Amino acid sequence: MTIKFDNHELKKLSQQYTSTINPNLIKDKCDRTYLAPEWLGKGYKREIVLRNGISLIIHNYQLFENVIIDNRENIDETLEIAFKLSLPQYIPPNINISVKDGFCYVIGKNNEGDIWQELANIPSKAVDIHLNESLVESLINDYDDSLPQSLKPFFLGNNNLPVSLPQIISPQMKMVISQIINCSFQGITKQIYLEAKTLELLALKIDSLRQIEQVKQIKIKLKKEDIEAIYHAEKIIVDNYNNPPSLIELSRQVGINTRKLKEGFRQIFHTTVFDYLYHYRMNLAQNLLKKQKNVGVVAQTIGYASATSFNAAFQKQFGVTPKLFQLAHR
């Protein structure tokens, strides 16, 4: 079964349902959480207004039925940077871009809406950053020379495509996205924290694009089989995060030489093999510590020989010891 809504109708239904179930979720005009009606799905869509022309939309839901959303009358005047962790959508044919989960996209301002279809029983998990027109203009005026070339058309509003080419969401980005989604602070602490994390995510996106543009000048040519080998290498280090192979062993397992593995990995994932593994481990450590697992057990689980070395690595990444992090999340 497929149900069709226009965007305003669907939001109104969610608002009415949330008002009945938990009106406090939409009481704060700067932070409203709209629950999916129980007959339609589970989860929520959260809209957060931050300062300085920045807002966030957090998607975390799953539908029980296929839904068509007619968004043609909605013209978004903001510049959107969308981080799609899980994407249950068919894409309109005029987009001409392969939008898929695990990637982020820039969506041009004043972009006319379209018809989208969201599929049933597939989780939708994403964080979208919206920048209003005055903020975009100030960034252009102040930082035009240092903005990545691929971003400029979207900032200036002269982009040929409504959606940018895909860029993979790095482990660092995933970590910040997780922190945004799972923020437990309230009041002004929440506002400051989310502003800081949103700016951090935006900085990681811009820095990653700049690195891509620099690498393009010196990048090696990768054949289809090389790209497949590098994605295979990523799967190997994730599957064996607590006891990963050496670079030499990893290159042997996937069938390409070490130089091509290192340079190709950076070209595709915009980070080194070591940094990818490091950030994956730290993200996993955060999740285990939140569950109040013993620090020593966490260190051993993610592959550190001692709690001391794990403590040093964790503090270097997050600025607090694992124990203090754990106490803050009780």
Side-chain angles (χ1 to χ4, degrees):
M1 178 179 175
T2 299
I3 308 172
K4 185 174 181 179
F5 300 99
D6 67 50
N7 188 54
H8 299 295
E9 182 185 15
L10 182 57
K11 186 171 182 178
K12 187 176 179 180
L13 282 171
S14 298
Q15 186 171 357
Q16 290 172 343
Y17 178 74
T18 306
S19 296
T20 304
I21 299 299
N22 189 349
N24 288 330
L25 292 176
I26 54 175
K27 187 176 180 181
D28 184 349
K29 64 179 182 180
C30 292
D31 186 356
R32 289 177 171 167
T33 299
Y34 299 94
L35 301 174
E38 60 181 2
W39 55 268
L40 182 62
K42 59 182 179 180
Y44 64 87
K45 183 176 179 180
R46 184 178 175 190
E47 299 178 356
I48 306 170
V49 179
L50 303 173
R51 296 177 300 174
N52 303 316
I54 303 174
S55 58
L56 281 175
I57 298 180
I58 299 173
H59 306 258
N60 195 354
Y61 59 85
Q62 183 171 319
L63 300 175
F64 300 145
E65 305 287 348
N66 293 341
V67 170
I68 293 175
I69 303 172
D70 189 340
N71 206 29
R72 287 175 294 184
E73 294 185 4
N74 182 45
I75 298 177
D76 194 346
E77 297 179 353
T78 63
L79 180 75
E80 179 181 344
I81 302 174
F83 298 83
K84 304 298 187 182
L85 298 176
S86 179
L87 184 72
Q89 294 176 328
Y90 285 139
I91 307 305
N94 68 305
I95 295 296
N96 292 324
I97 292 290
S98 176
V99 180
K100 51 187 177 179
D101 53 10
F103 289 79
C104 55
Y105 304 84
V106 181
I107 301 170
K109 59 183 179 178
N110 299 322
N111 186 42
E112 293 184 4
D114 215 311
I115 297 176
W116 298 71
Q117 181 172 359
E118 299 206 12
L119 304 178
N121 303 315
I122 301 175
S124 178
K125 200 165 189 177
V127 169
D128 302 336
I129 299 174
H130 289 253
L131 311 178
N132 72 14
E133 194 165 357
S134 61
L135 176 57
V136 170
E137 287 177 357
S138 68
L139 288 171
I140 293 169
N141 292 334
D142 295 340
Y143 302 104
D144 181 53
D145 292 340
S146 57
L147 276 175
Q149 292 299 317
S150 56
L151 268 186
K152 281 187 179 181
F154 290 91
F155 272 67
L156 294 169
N158 57 7
N159 45 296
N160 295 322
L161 291 171
V163 179
S164 71
L165 294 173
Q167 178 195 1
I168 196 163
I169 300 174
S170 68
Q172 299 97 315
M173 292 177 189
K174 286 181 181 179
M175 189 179 301
V176 177
I177 290 167
S178 176
Q179 291 166 345
I180 289 172
I181 292 174
N182 297 304
C183 172
S184 59
F185 295 117
Q186 298 297 322
I188 190 172
T189 310
K190 175 188 70 179
Q191 185 81 3
I192 293 170
Y193 181 85
L194 289 177
E195 285 178 9
K197 288 298 168 184
T198 301
L199 290 174
E200 183 181 355
L201 187 55
L202 185 58
L204 287 170
K205 166 70 177 177
I206 292 173
D207 184 61
S208 181
L209 286 174
R210 290 181 65 187
Q211 288 186 39
I212 292 170
E213 290 176 5
Q214 290 170 0
V215 168
K216 278 182 178 178
Q217 300 172 12
I218 56 173
K219 70 178 184 180
I220 58 175
K221 289 185 177 180
L222 296 175
K223 299 177 183 177
K224 181 182 177 182
E225 53 266 31
D226 296 331
I227 295 171
E228 290 174 350
I230 290 164
Y231 275 106
H232 184 202
E234 184 235 4
K235 186 177 187 304
I236 289 173
I237 62 173
V238 167
D239 289 345
N240 300 276
Y241 62 85
N242 57 350
N243 187 26
S246 67
L247 274 176
I248 295 174
E249 176 61 20
L250 184 61
S251 63
R252 188 193 65 78
Q253 288 184 36
V254 300
I256 57 176
N257 64 55
T258 305
R259 176 179 174 272
K260 184 170 282 189
L261 173 62
K262 290 193 294 184
E263 295 185 12
F265 199 94
R266 182 184 287 276
Q267 197 167 304
I268 291 173
F269 294 103
H270 317 304
T271 188
T272 64
V273 176
F274 175 80
D275 278 348
Y276 190 100
L277 175 63
Y278 168 73
H279 287 288
Y280 184 87
R281 281 172 159 178
M282 290 299 105
N283 194 28
L284 179 60
Q286 272 195 324
N287 294 330
L288 292 172
L289 290 168
K290 284 178 183 177
K291 295 176 182 178
Q292 302 302 311
K293 300 289 185 182
N294 178 275
V295 173
V297 171
V298 173
Q300 187 177 21
T301 300
I302 67 171
Y304 277 82
S306 70
T308 303
S309 58
F310 166 64
N311 284 350
F314 191 91
Q315 188 164 6
K316 180 182 177 183
Q317 176 64 25
F318 301 110
V320 295
T321 64
K323 197 65 182 175
L324 283 176
F325 176 87
Q326 200 169 54
L327 289 171
H329 285 81
R330 279 186 176 172

